[in-house]
Amino acid sequence: MNDLPHSRPRSSGGTPTAPDRLLAVLAAFDHEHPALSLTDISRRAGLTLTTAHRLVAALTDWGALERDESGVYHVGLRLWEIAALAPRGLALRQLALPYLEDLYEATHENVQLAVQDGGEVVYTEWISGRSAVGVHIRVGARWPLHATGVGLVLLAHGDPEFQERYCAGTLASFTPYTITDPARLRRVLAEVRHTGVAVSSRQVTDDALSVAAPVRGRGGAVVAAVSVVVPQADAQVPVLAPAVRLAALGISRAMGWRPAKEP
């Protein structure tokens, strides 16, 4: 990941405001940079050392950041407490976990729960199989919607205008099998809506296949997706699909959704 400078929030006018600068300090932290010195924060946030020092001190006093004995800063527990209030975060995870565990027991493969954030999928829970295929996923990780099974589910059931903008945009490629053709992506999304599951084969790594299904909220809108990831060479989609659908249905019911017709 590029370290200089780190991308940061910007006001609509282009000139960073006080909130922009505060958010830039928080955005300096990511999975590759969970611990930063004050100089690192200043550089990655694009701020002067004096400004960074003032903002970091305020965030530390509030509990958003914590400073260890070596003088290095980490994300503080106060942010975790606030994030836990997000309806698509900890609350969703707590409702979903029993069904994710059942799916894991049925497959002994990697199990995922994810939500959409703009053009990306964000993983909110992950259960890793002991001998399952290796994947580049962890809780909090982000991937483009078109490159994963959970992302295809969320995109397929999203706003049609957003779908069209997404399909017409640049589709990042990670392997020779990643979907990069807009027409093909539109066909895949239609198939996802028709079958109720998404199958993503070798799109992120060339040895993995995922089967995903939608999770619906109380009103019926798709709010998350659940999937299982298996070795592509051993994948048995007709066997996996019903198990993934059942897990997604269980989570949806736990969230208050009641289908008009039981499967």
Side-chain angles (χ1 to χ4, degrees):
M1 178 178 292
N2 185 17
D3 189 56
L4 293 173
H6 186 65
S7 62
R8 54 191 182 274
R10 272 284 187 265
S11 62
S12 58
T15 300
T17 63
D20 290 334
R21 290 189 287 270
L22 197 66
L23 292 173
V25 171
L26 296 176
F29 294 85
D30 58 30
H31 284 284
E32 284 72 36
H33 303 87
L36 297 171
S37 68
L38 181 61
T39 300
D40 293 332
I41 294 172
S42 170
R43 182 170 60 245
R44 286 176 55 76
L47 302 172
T48 66
L49 193 59
T50 300
T51 299
H53 181 271
R54 175 171 53 82
L55 296 175
V56 165
L59 289 168
T60 302
D61 288 342
W62 187 74
L65 297 179
E66 296 177 357
R67 186 175 184 266
D68 65 23
E69 294 180 355
S70 67
V72 171
Y73 292 89
H74 308 260
V75 172
L77 284 177
R78 187 70 179 272
L79 284 185
W80 183 86
E81 294 172 0
I82 298 298
L85 301 175
R88 295 191 300 161
L90 186 60
L92 171 61
R93 174 189 176 276
Q94 290 174 332
L95 288 174
L97 195 55
Y99 304 96
L100 300 178
E101 291 172 341
D102 287 346
L103 181 57
Y104 171 77
E105 290 300 327
T107 63
H108 292 287
E109 301 286 356
N110 294 314
V111 173
Q112 309 167 340
L113 179 70
V115 298
Q116 182 179 346
D117 185 20
E120 297 176 313
V121 60
V122 180
Y123 292 86
T124 58
E125 186 53 83
W126 172 266
I127 302 176
S128 180
R130 292 182 180 177
S131 59
V133 64
V135 292
H136 302 298
I137 300 299
R138 58 178 173 267
V139 172
R142 294 172 174 264
W143 284 90
L145 291 170
H146 68 281
T148 67
V150 286
L152 289 172
V153 165
L154 293 166
L155 184 59
H157 292 280
D159 177 71
E161 291 185 4
F162 175 82
Q163 287 178 34
E164 187 53 38
R165 290 197 305 272
Y166 189 95
C167 291
T170 301
L171 302 176
S173 178
F174 304 98
T175 75
Y177 306 98
T178 307
I179 300 172
T180 57
D181 176 58
R184 182 187 169 204
L185 179 56
R186 293 185 184 98
R187 292 194 297 269
V188 169
L189 297 178
E191 184 69 11
V192 171
R193 289 188 291 271
H194 176 70
T195 63
V197 295
V199 178
S200 177
S201 179
R202 299 182 288 179
Q203 287 215 81
V204 174
T205 63
D206 60 10
D207 62 347
L209 176 145
S210 68
V211 180
V215 173
R216 298 181 184 275
R218 181 180 297 273
V222 173
V223 296
V226 61
S227 73
V228 62
V229 182
V230 301
Q232 192 275 335
D234 302 328
Q236 300 182 42
V237 174
V239 175
L240 294 170
V244 176
R245 282 198 196 97
L246 186 61
L249 179 60
I251 300 169
S252 299
R253 285 172 171 163
M255 296 188 68
W257 181 62
R258 295 295 180 266
K261 180 186 292 187
E262 296 291 334

